[in-house]
Amino acid sequence: MRNVDDAARELRDAGVRTLLPRDQDYEEARLPWRRTTEHRPGLIAEAAGPADVRAVVRAAGAHGLPLTVMATGHGAVRPCDGGLLLRTAAMNGVRVDPERRTVRVAAGALWGDVVAAAAPFGLAPVSGSSPTVGVVGYTLGGGAGWLSRRYGYAADGLISAEVVTAEGEILTVGGDDHQDHPDLLWALRGGGGAFALVTALELPLYPVAEAYAGMAVFPFENAARALAVYRDWAWDEPDRSNTALMLMRMPDAPHLPEPLRGRPALGLRAFHLGDAEEAEAVLAPLRAAAGTPLMDMLRPITFADTSALFGPPPGPSRAEGRLELLRDLPEEAVAEVIGIVEDGGPVAGVEVRHWGGAMDRPPEGAGPVGHRDVPFSVMVGAEAAGPEESGPVGEAVAKAAARVRPYATGGSFLNFLGDPEATATAYTEEDHRRLVEIKRRYDPEDLLSGGHDFR
């Protein structure tokens, strides 16, 4: 039986800061970055270290409170209603070991902090596109970033994890001296956070200081030709390159060239580990198909600066997105992608991305990240201005994505999956069965129920 007041009293006695709905800071503390999910917990606890996390886990179990963990809330998919919301933002330590080329991050660390700490040593992580995204959630969900075609998924590189189990036991899994729980380490390498509460991760860093990156924007009428060329060009894309074509509805803003204001446009987003001459030689076929750029922001840049190139704004968002995975880009699928933008409505844009590279070559000990051999994705996105628009915008995005679905595999990628009931689509059947078994072993009562469903 749930007993919020007793749990709060127990945690306060243990030195853990807690907030009840009647407390002044509760309203701000309950909100995730992804505002399409609304948390209304019965109790909020703010952890300062692993001992606090263990106290929270034990209190949640003792008082029948389902537990949801939130560092930033970028990956929030299930509302915490009446349960216990554990905030880990205060656990934000980052420690770089330049000799071993590794970094140890605490549960609430952000990618911007890691990138900044690694940059003075000429090193970089397999980070996401936004500096405000939390390291742990991104990594546990797979983690596809700028360096993934060269170095693989972030989850594949996970060296070790310090965790608190649903029984309140602190464990270190992975690393040279901690191989007692290889099944749990495997699950954490892409299975998400449903198996144990992560308090720290150790991740690899790579010798990357500079790149050639940015976006060039072209006339929308060249989109069909550019996508047709991209479909064939992608099979030979070098691992040091990471690209996507963006079909966008541009805002009517004075800082944009007049031909782009309030109109659809074609964007080439690129990241290349090499100099400008080499990068432009690789991108030449795409540029030729896209025509004369209306804006060209591709340039040499430090890796630290790329973390803010294309990421979402630092403030909260009501963005809606749907991802579909495709084995090819047939003409019919290309026509639907173009039609989504041409038809207007709330859909802001469609991204067509090439994956592959090292992501398609799992290393020994790789985790359950699924559908590695699927080379393309189509992401449909839109932003709701307020809560009253979230429903209609979400419906519009779902309807637009359905236009592409006949050409898709039916699979998904956990980091981009907003439906916790569709978790199985992110994995092969065999890996999903194994994840369910590991969930039953480490969390049989489903205490960690705030994310994706592995019951």
Side-chain angles (χ1 to χ4, degrees):
M1 183 176 180
R2 298 185 183 183
N3 194 325
V4 170
D5 289 334
D6 285 352
R9 191 159 39 247
E10 180 179 315
L11 288 172
R12 286 170 181 166
D13 289 345
V16 180
R17 183 172 186 256
T18 61
L19 295 169
L20 292 165
R22 59 180 177 267
D23 293 328
Q24 180 178 357
D25 296 333
Y26 171 89
E27 284 298 317
E28 181 65 25
R30 72 178 178 85
L31 295 172
W33 183 90
R34 188 172 186 263
R35 294 292 168 84
T36 52
T37 298
E38 186 85 353
H39 291 323
R40 293 195 177 276
L43 175 64
I44 299 173
E46 299 184 346
D52 288 353
V53 174
R54 177 169 56 187
V56 169
V57 169
R58 290 177 173 174
H63 299 286
L65 296 171
L67 184 57
T68 297
V69 184
M70 183 173 76
T72 66
H74 279 74
V77 296
R78 190 190 298 273
C80 177
D81 292 332
L84 201 166
L85 178 65
L86 170 61
R87 291 178 54 92
T88 61
M91 300 171 60
N92 55 11
V94 174
R95 187 171 73 246
V96 171
D97 184 335
E99 294 186 2
R100 295 180 61 234
R101 291 182 178 175
T102 62
V103 61
R104 179 180 172 85
V105 300
L110 307 181
W111 275 124
D113 301 328
V114 178
V115 170
F121 305 102
L123 300 173
V126 179
S127 55
S129 59
S130 170
T132 67
V133 167
V135 176
V136 170
Y138 166 94
T139 301
L140 300 186
W146 299 127
L147 298 179
S148 289
R149 284 186 40 80
R150 175 64 179 87
Y151 295 111
Y153 291 107
D156 288 341
L158 175 58
I159 299 167
S160 67
E162 180 186 78
V163 305
V164 177
T165 69
E167 294 182 349
E169 183 181 5
I170 298 179
L171 302 175
T172 298
V173 297
D176 296 334
D177 302 322
H178 301 278
Q179 298 294 339
D180 293 338
H181 301 272
D183 53 347
L184 182 54
L185 179 65
W186 178 84
L188 295 176
R189 286 175 169 163
F195 309 94
L197 288 178
V198 170
T199 55
L201 296 178
E202 184 183 14
L203 299 166
L205 297 171
Y206 301 97
V208 175
E210 297 180 347
Y212 185 80
M215 181 182 289
V217 183
F218 302 88
F220 185 77
E221 54 264 30
N222 297 334
R225 182 169 68 236
L227 284 166
V229 170
Y230 189 57
R231 174 182 59 216
D232 298 328
W233 173 91
W235 299 108
D236 296 318
E237 182 177 9
D239 289 2
R240 60 188 181 277
S241 175
N242 190 315
T243 56
L245 291 183
M246 320 284 291
L247 282 70
M248 311 168 289
R249 299 197 66 83
M250 305 298 286
D252 188 3
H255 69 276
L256 294 174
E258 193 281 330
L260 287 176
R261 296 176 189 173
R263 300 177 185 178
L266 167 69
L268 167 60
R269 189 183 70 186
F271 174 96
H272 185 83
L273 289 172
D275 60 26
E277 182 179 0
E278 180 184 87
E280 287 295 344
V282 170
L283 298 174
L286 300 181
R287 281 191 176 275
T292 302
L294 302 173
M295 290 178 64
D296 199 336
M297 298 168 285
L298 281 158
R299 63 192 189 278
I301 192 171
T302 67
F303 185 85
D305 288 337
T306 65
S307 67
L309 269 178
F310 310 114
S317 172
R318 293 188 179 276
E320 296 279 357
R322 292 291 182 98
L323 178 85
E324 299 290 341
L325 297 175
L326 290 78
R327 295 197 178 277
D328 199 358
L329 295 173
E331 292 182 5
E332 297 83 357
V334 168
E336 293 293 350
V337 167
I338 293 172
I340 290 169
V341 178
E342 284 181 331
D343 292 349
V347 173
V350 183
E351 175 203 79
V352 179
R353 182 191 301 194
H354 180 223
W355 295 56
M359 292 180 282
D360 189 23
R361 299 189 298 271
E364 183 179 355
V369 177
H371 316 302
R372 294 172 181 268
D373 61 334
V374 181
F376 297 105
S377 69
V378 172
M379 170 72 88
V380 180
E383 177 84 27
E388 69 284 349
E389 293 185 12
S390 289
V393 167
E395 291 174 6
V397 168
K399 185 176 180 180
R403 297 175 62 168
V404 182
R405 196 161 300 129
Y407 314 100
T409 66
S412 62
F413 184 67
L414 199 68
N415 281 146
F416 299 138
L417 181 59
D419 181 1
E421 306 304 322
T423 305
T425 63
Y427 304 99
T428 65
E429 290 185 10
E430 180 181 353
D431 282 351
H432 185 256
R433 281 195 298 269
R434 185 178 174 188
L435 287 168
V436 170
E437 292 171 0
I438 294 170
K439 173 68 170 179
R440 289 172 180 164
R441 196 179 319 149
Y442 285 93
D443 186 16
E445 301 300 322
D446 195 29
L447 178 68
L448 311 179
S449 58
H452 284 278
D453 192 354
F454 289 95
R455 290 174 294 173

